[in-house]
Amino acid sequence: MGAQQVRDGFVALYGAEPDGVWSAPGRVNLIGEHTDYNDGFVMPFALPHTTVAAVSRRTDGVLRLHSANVKDTAGTAGGVVELRLDALAPESDRNWTAYPAGVFWALREAGHPVTGADIHLASTVPTGAGLSSSAALEVVVALALNDLYELGLQRWQLARLCQRAENVYVGAPTGIMDQTAAACCTEGHALFLDTRDLSQRQIPFDLAAEGMRLLVVDTRVKHAHSDGEYGKRRAGCEKGAALLGVDALRDVPYDGLDAALARLGDEEEVRRLVRHVVTEDHRVERVVSLLESGDTRAIGPLLTEGHASLRDDFRISGPELDLVVDTALEAGALGARMTGGGFGGSAIVLAEAGDADAITKAVEAAFAAAGFTAPRTFEAVPAAGARRLV
Ligand code: GLA
């Protein structure tokens, strides 16, 4: 999405130049799923798909919002939504406007003097595809306000505020991965993030240089986090931590997993959740060490193992996601797994560059044969995190 185009859209709507233009990316998660609200490890990277915002300050307590992506029933561009900052209330808005409004709410709750804005947005991040369109929307607004109001907040602090906007204002109990990915990822790297203290390491991730490709397959099955299943998994993990007497499941060591499972006795559902989280944290650490030692192909089986764990223990996959993974592996992929929150959304496939097209075709054919909506596949190359464009 071009900065100029979004700037022009702003001028057409509001009749003046914006103070600036910012962007924030969607993400895929390479490995480390449903570990972030367990204080564990994740490894996302930014996509070239971005949400771009042209923004000007206002001083009268009014927030005006417009998105080029939102169409009204007649199919034309939707109107400008006008909100009063002093009337913002958690869980009062079920529309897309809750995300940017939630950022204002979270900043004001934290005592930051934001007094309004005119905002025009346009996004290429697919929605409902598990690629963090919500976090891109939150983070682009937070970064713009941080600059325009000279708040002096660091990237990780913006991520925390955006997570609060999503958890409390929007009402979706997500972890911190997506907002941190949008705020902190850098081009050419995957972000190894410890979600307990947000310490991070940028891991070089250049598959093309090693003759590989990473495909993202959007199954077109829409997922939604506020739907309840995500919250149930989160609550089950918290129950597991409480039963085991630890702050978070991250504190259960991998070599203490069997003992922990034994202590959980006949709590079968909690046992499965705990097993996933503890083995997944371990997989992230193994992927990091393989990448750092240059053994990139060897991460494939770990991705596939992660998928089996999400499917069988965490139980958040689905027929379409499983079909992508099974078909890709049969067609010669090095590894494949669902990515993101689950219950639909996208899968990732790691493949030798020369096999990627045949794998894409095999997945398309399998979807057609199963009567599923045609998936959308694109290659993911680690792109830049949130930044000011103009
Ligand atoms: C969603 C949430 C994240 C994380 C993932 C699963 O993307 O927003 O916080 O929990 O699901 O790893």
Side-chain angles (χ1 to χ4, degrees), residues 109-180:
E109 277 268 310
H112 298 293
V114 287
T115 53
D118 285 339
I119 302 181
H120 171 58
L121 296 144
S123 183
T124 56
V125 186
T127 55
L131 302 175
S132 291
S133 58
S134 331
L137 178 50
E138 292 154 3
V139 169
V140 75
V141 170
L143 185 66
L145 297 179
N146 191 42
D147 284 355
L148 288 179
Y149 284 94
E150 297 177 3
L151 303 178
L153 296 167
Q154 296 186 38
R155 297 279 173 138
W156 66 268
Q157 292 174 301
L158 295 178
R160 280 266 185 244
L161 283 160
C162 290
Q163 184 197 15
R164 189 162 151 72
E166 183 144 351
N167 290 172
V168 183
Y169 193 86
V170 177
T174 57
I176 188 71
M177 167 168 69
D178 303 342
Q179 293 81 4
T180 313

Side-chain angles (χ1 to χ4, degrees), residues 188-212:
H189 298 88
L191 177 73
F192 174 38
L193 175 71
D194 180 337
T195 63
R196 170 160 276 167
D197 60 6
L198 299 192
S199 59
Q200 34 189 278
R201 206 148 85 221
Q202 301 285 348
I203 311 287
F205 192 57
D206 182 358
L207 291 175
E210 298 185 62
M212 283 173 281

Side-chain angles (χ1 to χ4, degrees), residues 27 29 32-37 42 130 132 163 166 173-179 223 225 230 234 310 316 338-342:
R27 63 99 189 92
N29 189 18
E33 221 64 86
H34 287 266
T35 47
D36 61 351
Y37 52 80
V42 296
S132 291
Q163 184 197 15
E166 183 144 351
T174 57
I176 188 71
M177 167 168 69
D178 303 342
Q179 293 81 4
H223 80 125
H225 289 152
Y230 183 99
R234 184 170 181 157
L310 289 161
I316 57 168
M338 54 152 284
T339 186

